[in-house]
Amino acid sequence: MIGRRAFLTYSSGTVLSLYLSGASGSEAAQLVGSAPGGSLDPRSIPPFATPLAVPTAMPITSVRKTAGRRDADYYEISVRQLRQQMLPLGLPTTTVWGYGPAAGVGGRQVHSAPSMTIEAPWNRPVRVKWINELTDPATGRYRPHLFAVDPTLHWANPGQAPDALGTRRTDNRPCFSGRRYVPPAQYNPSDPGQFTAYQGPVPMSVHLHGAVGVGDESDGYPEAWVLPAATNLPADHASGGRWRDFFSAKSLSRNGSAWGPGYTMAHYPNDNRPSTLWYHDHTLGMTRLNVYAGAAGFYIVRGGPQGDGAVLDSRTGAKAVFPGPYAKDYQDNPKPGKYFEIPLAIQDRSFNADGSLFYPDTREFFDGLTENYLPTGDIPPVWNPEFFGNTIIVNGATWPYLTVQAKRYRFRLLNGCQARFLILDFARIPGVRVWQVGNEGGFLAAPVDLGAVAGGRLLMAPAERADVIVDFSGVPLGNHVLGNLGPDEPYGGGQPDTDFVPADPATTGRILQFRVVPALAADLSTPPEFMVLPQAPMLPAATVTRRLALIEHSSAFADGPVAAMLGVLDGDPTHGFVAGSHRMWSDPVSQDPAIGVTEVWELHNLTMDAHPIHIHEIAFEVVDRQALEVDEEMRCRVAQGSSPRPPEPWETGVKDTVIAYPGEVTRVRVRFKQGGRFVWHCHIVEHEDNEMMLPLQVGPAYPDAPTP
């Protein structure tokens, strides 16, 4: 069970009470131990037995002309089911989903989880044909999901047939009135009083997380999914989401590339600041499951006036030199020790004894609730409010090792976990020096010595990225473990051992092992303390303020959440704001910024957990944070006597994901340059899948847009 829950309870949009339960402080000490999971005990998995896999570059399919007659790198990338050695050799392989070049490389299929890295030169367009190939290659029949899909959420819902007028009924919250949920193993299709988890073809919609200036037809809108072009698609299933045809037509008009059966087309201009992006599925109500199955990979934008070449060495004024090389080209067997710039995707997973991935198929796993399920109650029967795997994987393998020379390395870090906040503990490695030079929006204002300002620790929320330079030259030769001090439960801020119990040191408290060996040659890279980083252009002063709320909705029948939500605040700063206007995905759009107008978004977190908030289409500036107080009438306002707290040093420049801490208002400055339909949401993917995501209409609404 997960502790530390707090949420506002709603009835007809009115705040009723603030509910708090769970362990904290000394009580939390009793929760030490491996997080619950599948039938494979994580302590039985040999750690540091597998060499780290270095993601190589995705091969370009061809070069094509854009509608504006510019050269664009063209990729055909499919997602497929495969078996991968995630556990150490000698243990079973794991069935996962992974992206890869649809035609393979040299006749070989090289799909993997996580997948190959798309290397994108700055300002050179990239066009991708994203293909849903979740089919059996022998028969062409669709593959069902690896995990139980909760059909009671507001989700893609492909099985809702069009009505008599041909209007699609997909992308909704189904009604199961008069029926009861049963697990798939107990389901009897001939019993009209039952329903079970969805077991049909899997929808997919790919989002490039961190892309700026992308048209909405290329953003992976949650209702723009497609099913695979399977030979046995049910006749009553829609082949795509409500927005599929609309965005296909827009893609043809704007980019000269329409969508087709089983695939979408995306066009990325790559004119944002050079930075570490990542691509992953974004299907409505299913993101948590599709990403957990493995559908994700890195996308790195390089070059340009704010890229590596713009970084100077303060000692000489010449261009600084970063650790390198990186994996530029696909190779069958990259030689160990060849690369000094390495992407690291850190994820949490749980396994069963047969090697399969474990993900809960019942709400009972989270807090023991077995009654009051929808439709007679209000509790989704399958959805879990958060999930914490009891095993750490890095680049697709459990607790790998990396042999490093006693030199400087550049790591592009991604927290790809479901709900887990990571606190990477470099201080455990004697003599190491760690500098952060970038985040998900590109370079920081200045290099940050994490040893000096953060005790050698690096906090990363789900979906955040960090560009760090790690200097092993002063580390004793031998083996050293990178630890994790983030909790095995929801994170609410504070310090490990003081405010929460750190992750289990025998399992999720370990990330990977560094095996330090002597340097084979002199290190010619620039020490990061001498790097002068290019500055991000500052946004103009804001003329609009949006006061938004982060809230959770509790059950009317039991002590437990049934949804996480976003909303707006009513009232004024003097008398306080009421968080009574929560919004659901199906509600009319409530965030409609004008193109080119600078706004401040105030994110009032009225829960007890931190939430990583991601806004599509832009990179924003973190302004500050300030304490909140809530009175007896449930009105919130800025706490009397409090002062705004400036951004952390690693939050300078621009970002696409920000941590909104409980009991605080987090302010970010935004400006949208591209009109269209996008989204903003919490990147705890279980929250995102159940109402903590809202549509975002930038500029004028489409008169011919699909209607709910």
Side-chain angles (χ1 to χ4, degrees):
M1 298 184 186
I2 304 298
R4 285 193 66 258
R5 301 301 311 169
F7 44 89
L8 292 173
T9 304
Y10 286 87
S11 175
S12 301
T14 302
V15 179
L16 297 181
S17 64
L18 183 66
Y19 175 85
L20 174 64
S21 71
S24 62
S26 60
E27 295 177 352
Q30 302 175 17
L31 302 177
V32 173
S34 295
S39 57
L40 181 62
D41 183 348
R43 296 175 185 243
S44 71
I45 302 172
F48 320 130
T50 306
L52 178 81
V54 177
T56 52
M58 185 81 70
I60 298 171
T61 303
S62 63
V63 175
R64 297 191 176 184
K65 294 292 185 180
T66 68
R69 306 305 299 166
R70 296 179 61 194
D71 285 344
D73 293 333
Y74 174 69
Y75 296 82
E76 292 191 352
I77 300 174
S78 63
V79 60
R80 294 175 181 166
Q81 184 166 300
L82 64 141
R83 295 194 67 82
Q84 182 168 312
Q85 192 70 57
M86 285 189 159
L87 298 167
L89 284 173
L91 293 175
T93 57
T94 301
T95 299
V96 295
W97 295 345
Y99 296 104
V105 176
R108 296 177 60 244
Q109 299 304 315
V110 288
H111 292 62
S112 61
S115 308
M116 305 169 80
T117 301
I118 297 177
E119 289 283 345
W122 177 81
N123 206 31
R124 180 180 175 92
V126 162
R127 181 171 295 173
V128 182
K129 181 180 183 179
W130 294 108
I131 310 170
N132 184 345
E133 288 190 331
L134 291 176
T135 56
D136 185 316
T139 65
R141 299 173 66 85
Y142 69 80
R143 296 185 185 275
H145 214 293
L146 300 179
F147 313 114
V149 179
D150 194 327
T152 68
L153 305 181
H154 192 139
W155 71 294
N157 198 16
Q160 290 292 295
D163 61 18
L165 299 177
T167 303
R168 287 184 178 169
R169 293 303 193 188
T170 61
D171 303 291
N172 64 16
R173 184 181 292 272
C175 177
F176 293 100
S177 179
R179 302 162 70 185
R180 70 183 188 282
Y181 175 82
V182 297
Q186 303 173 22
Y187 177 60
N188 180 5
S190 62
D191 185 346
Q194 295 183 354
F195 73 95
T196 190
Y198 173 77
Q199 301 175 71
V202 177
M204 301 288 284
S205 178
V206 183
H207 168 56
L208 178 55
H209 184 127
V212 173
V214 172
D216 54 0
E217 80 286 346
S218 299
D219 191 51
Y221 192 68
E223 293 186 6
W225 49 267
V226 294
L227 294 183
T231 58
N232 64 329
L233 287 183
D236 64 347
H237 277 47
S239 59
R242 288 192 310 116
W243 282 75
R244 193 269 308 267
D245 292 345
F246 182 89
F247 282 146
S248 175
K250 186 174 181 181
S251 179
L252 177 61
S253 173
R254 178 173 179 167
N255 305 318
S257 54
W259 302 3
Y263 70 86
T264 63
M265 300 291 295
H267 182 89
Y268 307 119
N270 300 315
D271 57 2
N272 48 298
R273 298 184 82 209
S275 53
T276 306
L277 289 65
W278 64 304
Y279 56 92
H280 61 79
D281 180 74
H282 215 289
T283 300
L284 183 68
M286 293 180 65
T287 299
R288 70 197 186 285
L289 304 175
N290 294 353
V291 174
Y292 189 79
F298 281 100
Y299 185 115
I300 298 178
V301 179
R302 298 182 187 271
Q306 295 193 37
D308 291 3
V311 179
L312 301 180
D313 187 326
S314 63
R315 299 170 299 180
T316 64
K319 291 183 179 180
V321 178
F322 281 87
Y326 58 90
K328 298 180 182 179
D329 302 308
Y330 174 78
Q331 300 179 44
D332 288 340
N333 295 296
K335 295 180 180 179
K338 178 176 181 178
Y339 302 117
F340 289 81
E341 179 190 323
I342 302 173
L344 298 177
I346 305 170
Q347 300 168 299
D348 58 346
R349 297 291 186 268
S350 293
F351 294 86
N352 293 311
D354 63 359
S356 62
L357 289 171
F358 167 84
Y359 191 85
D361 60 1
T362 172
R363 172 58 181 264
E364 183 179 5
F365 177 84
F366 179 78
D367 52 11
L369 295 180
T370 59
E371 299 177 341
N372 300 308
Y373 287 166
L374 288 165
T376 55
D378 58 4
I379 298 172
V382 181
W383 175 76
N384 278 235
E386 287 103 6
F387 176 73
F388 296 84
N390 56 22
T391 302
I392 297 295
I393 64 171
V394 184
N395 291 356
T398 57
W399 296 303
Y401 70 86
L402 175 64
T403 299
V404 296
Q405 298 180 35
K407 301 173 68 173
R408 284 181 284 271
Y409 282 73
R410 183 182 190 179
F411 297 121
R412 294 178 179 265
L413 300 167
L414 161 68
N415 180 346
C417 297
Q418 301 290 108
R420 179 183 298 276
F421 283 67
L422 299 169
I423 303 178
L424 303 182
D425 186 17
F426 287 95
R428 184 184 299 186
I429 303 173
V432 75
R433 297 194 68 194
V434 185
W435 294 74
Q436 184 172 348
V437 296
N439 55 30
E440 59 267 16
F443 286 122
L444 305 177
V448 177
D449 182 352
L450 292 177
V453 303
R457 297 172 178 175
L458 174 60
L459 170 66
M460 296 186 70
E464 282 193 309
R465 285 89 71 203
D467 189 350
V468 301
I469 296 176
V470 181
D471 188 347
F472 293 98
S473 62
V475 177
L477 303 183
N479 301 336
H480 304 276
V481 175
L482 175 61
N484 167 43
L485 297 174
D488 286 325
E489 62 174 4
Y491 174 74
Q495 296 298 317
D497 290 318
T498 301
D499 301 291
F500 58 84
V501 176
D504 176 14
T507 56
T508 50
R510 301 184 292 188
I511 303 296
L512 80 163
Q513 182 189 70
F514 293 115
R515 299 183 177 181
V516 183
V517 299
L520 300 180
D523 191 342
L524 301 180
S525 67
T526 303
E529 58 264 40
F530 298 115
M531 289 183 174
V532 180
L533 305 178
Q535 303 300 295
M538 300 297 292
L539 293 177
T543 57
V544 175
T545 297
R546 293 182 186 269
R547 296 182 174 92
L548 307 167
L550 283 54
I551 50 188
E552 289 181 346
H553 193 175
S554 73
S555 170
F557 299 91
D559 289 342
V562 296
M565 290 184 174
L566 302 170
V568 298
L569 296 182
D570 300 328
D572 60 78
T574 302
H575 299 91
F577 300 102
V578 177
S581 299
H582 66 286
R583 297 288 190 268
M584 302 182 74
W585 177 258
S586 59
D587 290 337
V589 174
S590 53
Q591 280 72 59
D592 55 352
I595 300 173
V597 174
T598 304
E599 301 187 349
V600 167
W601 286 23
E602 295 187 342
L603 307 170
H604 297 73
N605 187 350
L606 305 178
T607 79
M608 285 294 288
D609 299 332
H611 296 270
I613 300 300
H614 173 45
I615 306 174
H616 284 216
E617 172 57 20
I618 61 168
F620 52 75
E621 298 171 4
V622 181
V623 178
D624 58 34
R625 296 180 175 90
Q626 195 165 1
L628 295 173
E629 60 185 17
V630 182
D631 62 20
E632 295 81 1
E633 297 180 349
M634 298 308 297
R635 292 181 177 272
C636 73
R637 58 176 62 84
V638 170
Q640 294 185 5
S642 67
S643 299
R645 190 172 78 255
E648 301 291 353
W650 49 85
E651 294 180 316
T652 58
V654 292
K655 291 173 61 64
D656 63 43
T657 305
V658 65
I659 300 175
Y661 289 97
E664 288 188 340
V665 54
T666 299
R667 301 182 180 96
V668 296
R669 187 178 294 114
V670 308
R671 185 174 64 167
F672 295 87
K673 298 181 180 179
Q674 176 88 344
R677 178 62 68 93
F678 303 97
V679 298
W680 68 288
H681 59 88
C682 174
H683 218 288
I684 293 174
V685 284
E686 285 82 14
H687 293 182
E688 162 186 349
D689 274 350
N690 190 10
E691 300 296 352
M692 207 167 192
M693 176 171 66
L694 290 177
L696 171 68
Q697 181 65 45
V698 181
Y702 295 119
D704 54 345
T707 56

